[in-house]
Every structure is written in C-alpha cells, then in structure tokens.
Amino acid sequence: MTEESCCHKQKHRDDKEYKDLVHRLNRIEGQIRGIRNMVDEERYCVDILTQVSAVQSALNSFNKILLSDHIKTCVVEDIRGGNEEVVDELCKTIQKLMK
C-alpha cells in the first residue's frame, strides 16, 4: 500500500479552480465574522439566523462545485485506471453531505 492510498490523497487544481474556491471560502469567512459581530452587538435573533442561513447556502454551493469537480476529474480518472472502489467512496461522501 502506498503512502497516498493509506494516509491521504492530494489533488492539483488549476489556477482558475483554485482562485474560485479560495474566493468563495474568503467570502464565507467574512460572513462568519459578520455573524460574530452581530452576536457581539446583541443583534436581533432573526437577523442573525438569516445570516447563518446565508452561510449554510454558501457552503452548500461550495460543496456542489467541489463535488462536481471531484466526480469529473478524480472519480473519472480512478475508474479509467481500474479503481472502481472510488464509487463506494463517492457514495459514502454523498451520504455524509446529505445528513
């Protein structure tokens, strides 16, 4: 068993994909800081909950993009290489995301 398969895998992303993902994460991070400020300022609960919902939506969008890319690249490459176990990994991942 190689180190890659037993411990962790890595994926190289092109510049555009990397920048898009980081941009989204930076926006989400900013939204989280905004929620923290709202709590500090003792803002109305419904206003805070609305912002939390927006963060959840942004994270879901991030997951959809990342999952789509994963399927189109990593999963396809593994199947073409004869590693059909990647399908089980994908199914488990989708189950976790749908909790």
Side-chain angles (χ1 to χ4, degrees), residues 68-86:
S68 176
D69 182 63
H70 175 66
I71 292 168
K72 291 175 182 177
T73 59
C74 302
V75 173
V76 169
E77 289 171 14
D78 280 356
I79 290 172
R80 286 181 180 156
N83 178 12
E84 294 184 15
E85 292 174 5
V86 72

Side-chain angles (χ1 to χ4, degrees), residues 55-94:
V55 169
Q56 288 172 326
S57 178
L59 284 169
N60 286 338
S61 178
F62 179 87
N63 277 347
K64 288 175 192 175
I65 290 167
L66 193 59
L67 181 61
S68 176
D69 182 63
H70 175 66
I71 292 168
K72 291 175 182 177
T73 59
C74 302
V75 173
V76 169
E77 289 171 14
D78 280 356
I79 290 172
R80 286 181 180 156
N83 178 12
E84 294 184 15
E85 292 174 5
V86 72
V87 175
D88 292 332
E89 177 188 58
L90 176 61
C91 290
K92 288 177 187 174
T93 300
I94 291 171

Side-chain angles (χ1 to χ4, degrees), residues 7-95:
C7 300
H8 63 277
K9 296 179 181 181
Q10 292 184 318
K11 177 180 186 319
H12 175 74
R13 292 178 172 79
D14 64 36
D15 285 343
K16 182 183 181 316
E17 178 187 2
Y18 173 81
K19 287 178 183 178
D20 180 53
L21 292 174
V22 169
H23 176 73
R24 288 174 179 275
L25 290 173
N26 287 339
R27 284 188 11 223
I28 292 167
E29 184 180 18
Q31 288 176 297
I32 296 293
R33 281 193 306 272
I35 292 169
R36 170 61 193 267
N37 290 337
M38 292 175 81
V39 171
D40 290 343
E41 296 167 0
E42 299 181 349
R43 297 277 298 272
Y44 187 57
C45 299
V46 173
D47 294 338
I48 296 170
L49 290 168
T50 299
Q51 291 306 309
V52 170
S53 179
V55 169
Q56 288 172 326
S57 178
L59 284 169
N60 286 338
S61 178
F62 179 87
N63 277 347
K64 288 175 192 175
I65 290 167
L66 193 59
L67 181 61
S68 176
D69 182 63
H70 175 66
I71 292 168
K72 291 175 182 177
T73 59
C74 302
V75 173
V76 169
E77 289 171 14
D78 280 356
I79 290 172
R80 286 181 180 156
N83 178 12
E84 294 184 15
E85 292 174 5
V86 72
V87 175
D88 292 332
E89 177 188 58
L90 176 61
C91 290
K92 288 177 187 174
T93 300
I94 291 171
Q95 288 173 351

Side-chain angles (χ1 to χ4, degrees), residues 1-10:
M1 198 177 274
T2 67
E3 182 179 328
E4 179 181 307
S5 63
C6 78
C7 300
H8 63 277
K9 296 179 181 181
Q10 292 184 318

